[in-house]
Amino acid sequence: MTYQADDRRYERQPYNRSGRSGLKLPAVSLGLWHNFGDTRPIENSRAILRRAFDLGVTHFDLANNYGVPYGSAETNFGRILREDFTPYRDELIISTKAGYDMWPGPYGEWGSRKYVLASLDQSLKRMGLEYVDIFYSHRPDPETPLEETMGALDRAVRSGKALYAGISNYSAEQTAQAARIMRELGTPLLIHQPSYSMINRWIEDGLLDAVEEAGMGCIVFSPLAQGLLTDRYLGGVPADSRAATSRFLSADRIDLDLARGLDEIARGRGQTLAQMALSWTLRDPRVTSVLIGASSVKQLEDNVACVDGPAFTEDELGAIDKITERYTAR
């Protein structure tokens, strides 16, 4: 059946300006890191993307190596984009990144001009696009001059293959340096994408200040700490859970007291633990958007509903800080 977007889609999501730019992003964006590669049915991916857009999620975030195998998330997204979203391209923010390993040899990762621009060309081909809205340097390269990596981002924008440039996983100092270089080149950085959650607060120690000073937005990933901040583990570690099956999360990181204490606060707010964790990342006005993943339409709907939650009271924030204090990474 031909997809037709919900006429009420823009009534369901707040949109926040990214730093001092003219671009607004939805408070909740959809990341395609997991669940959109060749190991998942494409019709499930299609259903998630359709429902996301119907709920006002206009931003879909990818990277060159997302999916199993690498590149498959972009390929599958490109197919769905072509078949379902062609009439809505100008209503979408599509982002991708280059920085982690993508192909063999010395030119297949990090931050050289050679790799960054070749990766962008490959991503555009996989997705069937003439341009992406945001193109990121996915991580800083300790051996390539920052001027070279930022120069590649500048070139991507000037060539028309990207509308905006961003960075991800850069420290506060690296962010300030990158922003200065890009201002001098005449292509200001739009946004920074770091990890952030109630138990991973490293961006509060200088990065958010650096982002604000540079006039950039901030979109955070892993707000649920790979599932730790959900109700998935309230009763233990299920055999089919990410903690039991993924290299990104191990069972020894699961703390039931942490999850249950936070869940009690969430229930008092009329939210699930995941919804509260997502709302918490958005409490700081310097955070433009939060990236969620989804393996099903129901999970997507539940998480997007975080925007309907109440504002945090000082007592709630204090209680959260007390519970997470000994787990918090800074």
Side-chain angles (χ1 to χ4, degrees):
M1 179 180 295
T2 301
Y3 170 64
Q4 183 171 347
D6 193 316
D7 290 338
R8 299 180 58 196
R9 59 190 176 278
Y10 293 116
E11 300 174 15
R12 299 170 174 177
Q13 181 90 206
Y15 298 87
N16 302 320
R17 192 171 302 280
S18 183
R20 292 195 292 268
S21 77
L23 184 68
K24 290 184 176 181
L25 296 179
V28 177
S29 298
L30 180 63
L32 277 64
W33 180 16
H34 300 290
N35 305 310
F36 290 85
D38 289 348
T39 58
R40 299 293 180 127
I42 194 166
E43 291 309 315
N44 186 61
S45 302
R46 186 191 308 274
I48 292 170
L49 289 166
R50 285 181 172 188
R51 185 57 178 151
F53 191 53
D54 284 344
L55 293 173
V57 177
T58 55
H59 179 207
F60 300 138
D61 180 74
L62 299 105
N64 56 357
N65 63 347
Y66 283 1
V68 179
Y70 287 171
S72 58
E74 288 183 329
T75 299
N76 292 330
F77 175 76
R79 173 183 166 182
I80 297 168
L81 179 68
R82 181 176 63 255
E83 295 174 355
D84 289 9
F85 291 96
T86 296
Y88 306 104
R89 173 62 182 99
D90 290 337
E91 298 181 47
L92 297 176
I93 302 298
I94 300 169
S95 61
T96 195
K97 315 176 196 74
Y100 286 93
D101 63 300
M102 182 59 193
W103 63 85
Y107 317 120
E109 64 177 327
W110 292 109
S112 71
R113 184 181 182 90
K114 167 74 172 175
Y115 165 68
V116 169
L117 294 179
S119 177
L120 175 57
D121 285 341
Q122 291 181 18
S123 290
L124 292 175
K125 184 177 181 179
R126 280 190 290 270
M127 291 187 283
L129 291 172
E130 295 181 357
Y131 70 93
V132 290
D133 297 275
I134 307 170
F135 182 51
Y136 289 88
S137 168
H138 206 167
R139 61 173 171 171
D141 183 343
E143 297 184 349
T144 297
L146 194 55
E147 289 81 1
E148 179 175 341
T149 304
M150 293 303 105
L153 292 183
D154 174 67
R155 176 59 183 165
V157 173
R158 292 185 184 278
S159 69
K161 295 179 181 179
L163 300 186
Y164 299 94
I167 55 176
S168 180
N169 298 305
Y170 280 56
S171 69
E173 181 180 0
Q174 291 166 334
T175 296
Q177 293 173 347
R180 174 186 55 78
I181 293 168
M182 293 296 280
R183 280 196 305 271
E184 293 172 353
L185 291 171
T187 304
L189 286 171
L190 172 79
I191 199 163
H192 189 296
Q193 186 177 134
S195 61
Y196 185 49
S197 73
M198 288 190 287
I199 57 173
N200 175 23
R201 303 190 187 189
W202 73 276
I203 69 173
E204 296 175 3
D205 291 338
L207 180 60
L208 283 173
D209 291 336
V211 165
E212 183 177 32
E213 176 65 23
M216 299 164 60
C218 181
I219 179 170
V220 300
F221 71 89
S222 292
L224 303 180
Q226 299 292 306
L228 289 173
L229 299 175
T230 72
D231 62 5
R232 181 69 162 150
Y233 302 106
L234 293 177
V237 181
D240 63 345
S241 67
R242 186 174 297 176
T245 62
S246 172
R247 65 187 177 93
F248 295 104
L249 180 65
S250 59
D252 60 7
R253 289 185 57 200
I254 306 301
D255 187 290
L256 298 182
D257 290 337
L258 169 73
R260 289 167 179 168
L262 293 172
D263 182 63
E264 184 176 350
I265 298 172
R267 285 187 282 109
R269 290 170 45 81
Q271 292 183 300
T272 65
L273 174 52
Q275 288 167 348
M276 184 180 75
L278 295 168
S279 297
W280 183 92
T281 65
L282 291 166
R283 79 199 187 288
D284 191 314
R286 294 172 293 183
V287 175
T288 311
S289 183
V290 59
L291 277 166
I292 63 169
S295 59
S296 67
V297 169
K298 183 180 186 306
Q299 184 184 39
L300 171 82
E301 292 173 338
D302 289 345
N303 287 346
V304 170
C306 72
V307 299
D308 300 322
F312 285 93
T313 67
E314 289 301 320
D315 286 345
E316 287 171 340
L317 291 174
I320 290 170
D321 288 346
K322 185 175 181 180
I323 291 172
T324 60
E325 183 176 13
R326 69 187 179 95
Y327 306 92
T328 301
R330 289 185 182 273

